[in-house]
Amino acid sequence: MNGQMMDFPLTITSIFRRAETFFRAREVVTRRPDKTITRYRFGDFADRTRRLLRVLQDLGVQRGDRVATLAWTHAHHLEAYFAVPLAGAVLHTLNLRLHPDDLAYIINHAEDRVLIVDASLVPLLERIRPNVKLETVIVIGHDGTVKDAVDYESAIANAEPATDLPDLDERAAAAMCYTTGTTGKPKGVLYSHRSIALHSLAICLPDALGIGECDAVLPAVPMFHANGWGLPYSCAMVGAKLVLPGSHLDPVSVLELLEGERVTVAGGVPTIWMSILQTLESGQRSYDLSALRHVLVGGSAPPASLIRALDKHGIKVLHAWGMTETSPLGTVARVPAALVNASEEEQYRCRSKQGRPTPFVEIRAAKVEGLVPWDGQTMGELEVRGPWVTSGYFKDDGADRFTADGWFKTGDIATIDESGTMEIQDRSKDLIKSGGEWISSVALENCLMGHPAVAEAAVIAIAHAKWAERPLAVVVLKPGASATADDLRAFLAPQFPKFWLPDAFEFIDAIPRTSVGKFLKSALRERYKTYRIEA
Ligand code: ADP
């Protein structure tokens, strides 16, 4: 017997109507390219989004068509986040830090018909354009210099707001992001209305980000990085004020917004918070961060030392794990009820793990021999499933990424303990395989970054005649600080088995970053590919 509840579709349209109906007075704040701040309300956003929807319809955008964006984090981009899916089309956010050849490949692969681009990114577009087929280009902040382009502002001004919002199937595609393709070609992940609606709800749960109408949320993460971590949709759903930093993710700009807009929740990768910490520690200026409840940190593992140091400045880290393929939220490291009275030490240990899955996401870890026990010790590849986890890639079933029983193989190596708390040990390609044993580069890095002289550390595998691979630690010292390889090895020694300790240390000025601000280990591997460690 079936239940009798309505089969009411879970769509972005519902989220939009809610923002438009109940939260008209809530603000959307944007930092413009010249750093000035502009603000409008969800009521203005809704009117402009309906106009953009009309513009897209008049351009002939059909259901399922891909409409790409090449844009920073601002209110116009937010309008596209909604107008494109409201039209039944697919919002394809392009990563503006990619090489033009990769962007051209992605635009062609996705078969994007329309592109909405920031005027400041037109020079990048010009490098791509000869290699792609785009029917229409819409420029935000158009100064008339782009041939055959539609000017976003005048198109919106001239369009009547669309009054009827198309009825949509919740399973229809709403948005798409390509993985950065560190291994092989980038792959398209296609989100549905349903997955985005459910993911938006999950983010807002008290034991996830706990966002509500009275919050002011700053995504210090580009809107092309896994749907801006879902924050734009969640904030519109609950009516939280959105504070959009434009292209200004330098520490002082972010700190000014956190203070000036009384931000309560922010999100960003660890390197953003590392640079914010350095700015705060330089003591040049103090910032009133008393409104800030917590900052979501994910994308790579924040060292426990970073979590502690930020706490001292009133920035409480809420650590989460996710992937483009998981929309992105997968697990959150909330201190469980059983540990609320545990020692400070134990709580920090818990907060630096990746945590337990959100409702409807399930996890397990496997080795070739089968599933690994939840003992907090045995490493295996993390597998996930859930309603906002991908089941394939665009025009590519990605068969090698799925188990026979339909779980997604993340490529992350993890342990899971008795309480279901997951800890990432490494990406499988970064794991160091020494004499048949696995060494976690993440654990070594995070410990090294707890040394008072160390600003950044990355540990990579170096080929070794006897052990197959051995760890090399690449270290950036804090300005004016000093430490030798022996000092650092002695610092690590009490925490790890002897065979985990790096054989060599290299000191450099900066660790290269990926397009979304993570440490780019492939560049280090390339740099040290002829490095020799004596057998
Ligand atoms: P990219 O491959 O460009 O990094 P994603 O942003 O989708 O693309 O990255 C997902 C990967 O980032 C995960 O598979 C994992 O390796 C890593 N990651 C994400 N969050 C965390 C975290 N909290 N701790 C450790 N690693 C993380």
Side-chain angles (χ1 to χ4, degrees):
M1 183 165 73
N2 285 338
Q4 288 186 310
M5 294 301 110
M6 292 180 186
D7 196 6
F8 184 78
L10 304 172
T11 61
I12 292 172
T13 317
S14 276
I15 298 179
F16 174 76
R17 278 210 205 91
R18 191 173 159 76
E20 179 177 55
T21 310
F22 300 110
F23 309 124
R24 296 189 73 76
R26 300 293 289 149
E27 274 185 321
V28 179
V29 177
T30 294
R31 189 158 223 166
R32 282 199 284 235
D34 66 0
K35 285 208 165 185
T36 56
I37 285 177
T38 117
R39 56 187 80 232
Y40 70 11
R41 296 180 186 278
F42 271 119
D44 307 304
F45 151 81
D47 175 70
R48 289 171 54 90
T49 300
R50 282 181 180 269
R51 289 170 190 269
L52 179 58
L53 169 56
R54 177 63 61 97
V55 171
L56 295 172
Q57 287 170 332
D58 289 350
L59 285 169
V61 168
Q62 304 288 323
R63 289 179 187 231
D65 281 352
R66 267 75 71 203
V67 176
T69 56
L70 188 61
W72 291 103
T73 306
H74 47 58
H76 291 83
H77 206 167
L78 182 70
E79 291 157 13
Y81 253 57
F82 282 83
V84 175
L86 290 186
V90 183
L91 173 86
H92 176 197
T93 48
L94 292 165
N95 179 341
L96 51 86
R97 296 215 178 89
L98 294 184
H99 189 277
D101 293 347
D102 290 329
L103 278 170
Y105 168 83
I106 288 172
I107 292 171
N108 287 330
H109 189 267
E111 300 167 64
D112 295 331
R113 282 186 64 194
V114 177
L115 173 70
I116 302 175
V117 60
D118 280 350
S120 63
L121 296 168
V122 165
L124 172 60
L125 172 64
E126 296 302 349
R127 296 176 62 192
I128 304 166
R129 207 150 176 198
N131 302 319
V132 296
K133 279 202 262 351
L134 284 167
E135 288 168 30
T136 310
V137 172
I138 303 177
V139 185
I140 301 169
H142 190 214
D143 60 3
T145 52
V146 191
K147 255 197 357 256
D148 306 327
V150 175
D151 169 31
Y152 189 103
E153 275 313 315
S154 43
I156 288 222
N158 295 331
E160 286 299 318
T163 44
D164 296 327
L165 301 178
D167 286 332
L168 300 173
D169 184 331
E170 65 173 18
R171 286 160 302 183
M176 125 194 265
C177 283
Y178 275 69
T179 61
T180 42
T182 35
T183 50
K185 283 282 183 208
K187 290 178 173 187
V189 177
L190 207 50
Y191 309 98
S192 62
H193 280 265
R194 174 186 153 85
S195 72
I196 289 175
L198 290 170
H199 182 261
S200 304
L201 275 174
I203 286 192
C204 295
L205 286 174
D207 281 339
L209 247 71
I211 312 174
E213 187 179 349
C214 296
D215 278 307
V217 178
L218 187 157
V221 29
M223 284 172 93
F224 56 75
H225 191 203
N227 301 316
W229 293 6
L231 294 170
Y233 293 120
S234 292
C235 289
M237 186 182 75
V238 298
K241 167 175 160 181
L242 257 173
V243 182
L244 304 173
S247 58
H248 305 291
L249 288 180
D250 61 282
V252 170
S253 297
V254 175
L255 281 164
E256 283 171 359
L257 279 183
L258 291 175
E259 177 183 61
E261 298 300 326
R262 306 284 299 155
V263 168
T264 58
V265 176
V269 292
T271 50
I272 294 266
W273 304 106
M274 283 177 194
S275 60
I276 284 181
L277 178 64
Q278 276 176 23
T279 303
L280 291 172
E281 304 225 306
S282 74
Q284 277 160 5
R285 219 209 100 171
S286 63
Y287 294 85
D288 174 7
L289 303 178
S290 54
L292 195 59
R293 203 164 63 246
H294 50 229
V295 298
L296 179 68
V297 181
S300 52
S305 54
L306 179 71
I307 301 180
R308 274 173 194 277
L310 286 169
D311 263 352
K312 293 208 178 77
H313 292 278
I315 301 182
K316 186 164 184 231
V317 168
L318 180 60
H319 179 200
W321 168 91
M323 305 179 71
T324 303
E325 287 92 334
T326 64
S327 292
L329 188 64
T331 66
V332 184
R334 285 276 184 181
V335 175
L339 289 184
V340 282
N341 296 319
S343 67
E344 201 186 76
E345 191 56 36
E346 206 167 339
Q347 295 205 10
Y348 275 118
R349 232 185 352 260
C350 171
R351 287 171 59 199
S352 60
K353 294 181 180 173
Q354 280 65 22
R356 294 182 296 182
T358 57
F360 303 117
V361 172
E362 296 183 2
I363 60 170
R364 67 186 193 186
K367 277 187 161 180
V368 188
E369 308 86 64
L371 296 181
V372 306
W374 288 23
D375 58 6
Q377 302 280 328
T378 318
M379 296 188 209
E381 181 176 3
L382 180 69
E383 298 175 354
V384 284
R385 67 176 181 186
W388 54 87
V389 176
T390 198
S391 63
Y393 293 97
F394 185 57
K395 299 199 285 197
D396 171 354
D397 63 10
D400 58 332
R401 298 297 300 272
F402 295 89
T403 63
D405 55 351
W407 291 64
F408 174 67
K409 291 157 65 172
T410 62
D412 285 340
I413 303 300
T415 54
I416 305 176
D417 71 15
E418 300 78 4
S419 74
T421 299
M422 186 270 287
E423 185 172 10
I424 298 277
Q425 303 295 330
D426 238 321
R427 290 189 163 196
S428 53
K429 60 181 181 295
D430 294 336
L431 199 68
I432 300 158
K433 290 152 195 131
S434 173
E437 300 278 356
W438 287 357
I439 298 176
S440 158
S441 65
V442 174
L444 290 169
E445 287 157 6
N446 286 353
C447 184
L448 277 171
M449 286 189 268
H451 187 284
V454 175
E456 298 175 357
V459 177
I460 56 169
I462 294 292
H464 191 274
K466 179 167 176 202
W467 301 111
E469 289 177 353
R470 290 295 304 152
L472 163 70
V474 184
V475 173
V476 179
L477 294 175
K478 288 185 182 158
S482 63
T484 63
D486 285 342
D487 296 336
L488 297 181
R489 200 174 290 109
F491 181 74
L492 293 174
Q495 316 256 8
F496 298 100
K498 194 151 179 285
F499 80 94
W500 277 43
L501 301 182
D503 295 52
F505 290 75
E506 285 291 314
F507 295 88
I508 63 172
D509 292 337
I511 294 182
R513 306 279 204 259
T514 71
S515 60
V516 293
K518 307 183 189 186
F519 290 159
L520 184 58
K521 289 203 190 171
S522 56
L524 291 178
R525 278 195 281 269
E526 183 59 29
R527 176 162 169 180
Y528 294 106
K529 70 177 178 214
T530 55
Y531 202 90
R532 284 284 158 266
I533 290 173
E534 293 313 314

